[in-house]
Amino acid sequence: MTRHDDQIPGLESRLRKHYRQLPKVEAHVEQWLTNAQDRHLDRRRPHRLSPLVRTASALVALGGLVGVVLHWVPRADALAWAATRHTPILNRLAESFDLPGLSALVGSQKVTPLDVTARHNGITVQVMGAYADSAQTLVFLRTTQGSLLSLPQQITLRDQFGNSLFPNTAAWNSQSHQGYVDFSALPSWVWTPGVRLTLTIQDLGTMTNPAKNVYAGPWQLRWIQAPPRASRTISVHSQTHAHGVTFSLNRILLAPSAAVLHLSSSTPLNITPAIAKEAKGRKPQFTITRIGTGKTIPLLSASGGGTRTTLMSNPLSPGQYVLEVSWWNQENGPWELPFTVPR
C-alpha cells in the first residue's frame, strides 16, 4: 500500500463530514463516495478470469502437454506397422553368420523388420531390422558399399531421452555389405513411454583396412523400437572354492534373446601378455553345461573387470546347469557352480 492509499480513509471521512454539514446535501453524494471507494478497491483486487478465458487457457496448456508427449513417446500405429513386415532378408542374413544363437533369434521372428535408410556422399545405409530386450540390443544393417566400423567413436545408438549405447560386438559380410552390431541393453524405464532410437555412423571402412575411414559420414537413422518381451532375474546362491580362489554365481537375467550370468571372484583376473599367449592353447575359460543331457550352451560374450565377470549365453530354458570356470590367472580349475533355472 502506498502513502496515498493510507490517506484515502481519512480524506473520505472529512468529505463525508463536510457534506453532512451543508444545508442541502444531494442524495446521490453519499452514493458517489461509496462508488468511488468501491472502484478504488476493485483496482487493487486481482481480476478473476471469465469461464471462457479459463477454458481457452486450459486448452492451450493441454495442447502444449500433448505436444511434449508426442515428442517423447513413439506412435503406437508405427509399432504395429513395423511388427507386420516380412522377415526373409533377416533370416538370410542370420544364416550367413555362423554365430551361436543368432539364427534362432531371427528365425523366431522376434526381430522387428525395418526399412530405414540414410544417404550421404552417394552411399546408402539401411537398417533392416532391430531387436532389444533387457540383455542386449541388436541392429541389422547393410550398405551400398563400405564396411561398418564397430569402433565406439564411429557408431553410437541413442534413445530420445539421451541414453547412449556403444557397440560390444559386430559381424560383417563384405560380399553382401551387410551385418549386425550388438549393443548393450537400454535402461528398463525407457520402455514405459516407448523408445525412439537414433543410430549415428560417423564413417565406413573396408574389410582390408577396417580401421581406416574410407567413406566419411555421418549417416543418421531413426526408428521406433518395438517393446521387448518379458524377462526376469533370478537370484542364485552358488559358490565354490579351489586353489585359494572363491567364485560366486549371484544372479541370472533370463531374457528372450540371451541369459546374462553375473559372476564374482575373490581375486581379480590378472592377464599378462605371457598368460594371454598361454591361454590360446587352453580350453574355453567358461563353459555352461546342462545336467542330464551334457549339452553345452553356447556363450555369446564375456566381459568384466576386477572381480566381476558378466557372461552372456544362449537363452536358458528351465532345468539344471553347471557353470565351469576352467582356469583363472595361472591356476587350472575347474571351479564348478551348479544352478537351477526354475519354470
Side-chain angles (χ1 to χ4, degrees):
M1 183 178 290
T2 65
R3 187 181 62 170
H4 296 293
D5 292 333
D6 294 336
Q7 295 175 352
I8 286 175
L11 177 62
E12 175 189 344
S13 178
R14 289 194 295 272
L15 285 172
R16 288 185 184 276
K17 182 177 179 181
H18 170 73
Y19 279 104
R20 287 193 187 99
Q21 293 174 353
L22 293 177
K24 293 182 180 181
V25 178
E26 295 184 3
H28 69 275
V29 171
E30 288 283 335
Q31 186 63 43
W32 176 82
L33 289 171
T34 301
N35 291 343
Q37 182 186 26
D38 291 342
R39 284 194 296 271
H40 172 74
L41 293 175
D42 188 64
R43 283 195 299 270
R44 295 167 55 193
R45 184 184 301 117
H47 292 279
R48 292 186 177 181
L49 297 176
S50 67
L52 180 61
V53 174
R54 288 199 300 270
T55 302
S57 300
L59 290 175
V60 170
L62 179 61
L65 178 61
V66 170
V68 172
V69 170
L70 290 178
H71 174 75
W72 292 105
V73 179
R75 292 170 48 198
D77 58 343
L79 286 175
W81 175 82
T84 59
R85 300 294 301 276
H86 299 299
T87 61
I89 191 169
L90 289 174
N91 292 333
R92 290 196 297 270
L93 174 60
E95 292 170 358
S96 67
F97 295 105
D98 186 20
L99 293 172
L102 182 59
S103 297
L105 176 63
V106 178
S108 63
Q109 298 185 349
K110 294 177 182 177
V111 178
T112 301
L114 298 167
D115 184 13
V116 182
T117 60
R119 186 172 177 82
H120 183 75
N121 285 342
I123 300 176
T124 300
V125 177
Q126 178 190 15
V127 175
M128 299 183 294
Y131 175 84
D133 61 20
S134 54
Q136 60 182 330
T137 306
L138 289 166
V139 180
F140 297 85
L141 299 152
R142 66 178 173 184
T143 63
T144 53
Q145 56 182 318
S147 300
L148 189 67
L149 303 177
S150 61
L151 302 177
Q153 65 270 25
Q154 299 298 338
I155 178 169
T156 57
L157 187 63
R158 180 175 296 178
D159 64 23
Q160 74 268 34
F161 305 103
N163 299 298
S164 296
L165 305 178
F166 299 98
N168 295 321
T169 59
W172 195 258
N173 188 316
S174 58
Q175 296 181 347
S176 60
H177 295 286
Q178 58 189 19
Y180 79 94
V181 184
D182 175 27
F183 298 86
S184 54
L186 286 162
S188 58
W189 64 266
V190 305
W191 298 105
T192 301
V195 176
R196 182 186 295 112
L197 294 175
T198 300
L199 178 71
T200 302
I201 301 173
Q202 297 294 341
D203 301 283
L204 293 172
T206 62
M207 293 302 294
T208 56
N209 191 3
K212 186 177 181 181
N213 305 335
V214 178
Y215 307 104
W219 292 265
Q220 281 197 334
L221 304 104
R222 297 180 176 88
W223 69 93
I224 296 170
Q225 184 60 46
R229 300 189 179 185
S231 61
R232 58 176 174 151
T233 299
I234 61 173
S235 296
V236 181
H237 304 285
S238 185
Q239 191 174 87
T240 186
H241 180 85
H243 304 294
V245 181
T246 300
F247 283 96
S248 299
L249 181 58
N250 306 309
R251 68 184 188 278
I252 302 175
L253 170 66
L254 302 172
S257 68
V260 181
L261 291 76
H262 295 272
L263 182 70
S264 63
S265 60
S266 58
T267 59
L269 180 64
N270 181 23
I271 294 292
T272 64
I275 294 177
K277 184 178 180 180
E278 182 185 353
K280 292 182 179 180
R282 295 181 179 179
K283 60 185 293 189
Q285 184 179 9
F286 303 103
T287 307
I288 301 175
T289 306
R290 180 155 188 164
I291 299 175
T293 65
K295 179 181 179 182
T296 300
I297 308 301
L299 281 178
L300 305 179
S301 64
S303 61
T307 60
R308 303 288 181 178
T309 302
T310 301
L311 306 175
M312 183 180 293
S313 74
N314 267 11
L316 298 176
S317 57
Q320 294 182 328
Y321 300 85
V322 59
L323 168 63
E324 179 183 306
V325 183
S326 300
W327 50 270
W328 193 258
N329 293 337
Q330 296 184 14
E331 297 290 344
N332 291 319
W335 292 266
E336 295 186 345
L337 297 153
F339 63 93
T340 299
V341 175
R343 293 186 179 276

